[in-house]
Amino acid sequence: MCQGPRLRLLFTPGEIDRAIAGLAAQIDRDYGGEQPLLVGILKGAFVFLADLMRRLSIPVEVDFVRVASYGPGMESSGQIRLVQRLSTPVRGRHVLLVEDIVDTGLSLSFLVDYLGRKRPASLRLCALLDKPERRVVPVTIHYLGLTVPDKFLVGYGLDWDERYRNLPGIYVVEGD
Ligand code: 5GP
Ligand code: MG
């Protein structure tokens, strides 16, 4: 049998859904009359982005970037590199970066710099989860769902060595 780590439920699907409904209401209000480009950060944010966009009433476009920061296991390598670029021109666009969780802030500050150089009309961040205790570089999260403790989390797009992304809730990994 494949014995995994113990997982402790942190947020139920209902709690996640309520947080997303709140974010969508703010985004609808702030971007009324615009057609923002939602940029999901692969792989983790795809589940959140899929639910968030279906909660929005405004017209949106979607694209993805992928950065690599975490190697296998739970420790960040601290090195950020872009492994998938945008396929949409962002010059003059209202860009909303959509991230699953902000941890050290290194990937987001890298992406804000990368996208900012492409001269978007505006650039904001939306994150489902924030782990503020771990921050190394400051990032401004314009739309934040839930603040979480300094624990390793899985589920709802978040993986542990590619596993558990499909869990509908968010769990703390309690060690092995
Ligand atoms: P940062 O650059 O802010 O340190 O890292 C952000 C990325 O690290 C997130 O998009 C996510 O992919 C990964 N990450 C950070 N904290 C966690 C966590 O608790 N669980 C998982 N599975 N990934 C995390
Ligand atoms: Mg991520």
Side-chain angles (χ1 to χ4, degrees), residues 23-88:
L23 293 173
Q26 293 175 54
I27 293 166
D28 269 343
R29 187 195 61 213
D30 292 356
Y31 289 88
E34 307 287 351
Q35 183 167 309
L37 175 65
L38 306 183
V39 175
I41 305 172
L42 294 172
K43 296 179 189 175
F46 85 101
V47 177
F48 172 42
L49 176 54
D51 283 343
L52 177 69
M53 66 185 289
R54 284 177 292 178
R55 282 275 188 181
L56 294 171
S57 307
I58 53 167
V60 293
E61 290 175 44
V62 178
D63 202 346
F64 294 94
V65 286
R66 185 164 170 207
V67 290
S69 59
Y70 272 62
M74 301 199 283
E75 280 308 304
S76 171
S77 67
Q79 295 270 337
I80 313 296
R81 64 201 168 85
L82 196 63
V83 292
Q84 185 181 316
R85 288 163 189 279
L86 282 178
S87 56
T88 314

Side-chain angles (χ1 to χ4, degrees), residues 70 99-101 103-107 131 151-153 159:
Y70 272 62
E99 176 63 306
D100 48 8
I101 182 166
D103 187 41
T104 63
L106 289 166
S107 359
K131 216 191 264 183
K151 304 279 184 201
F152 194 78
L153 309 178
D159 72 307

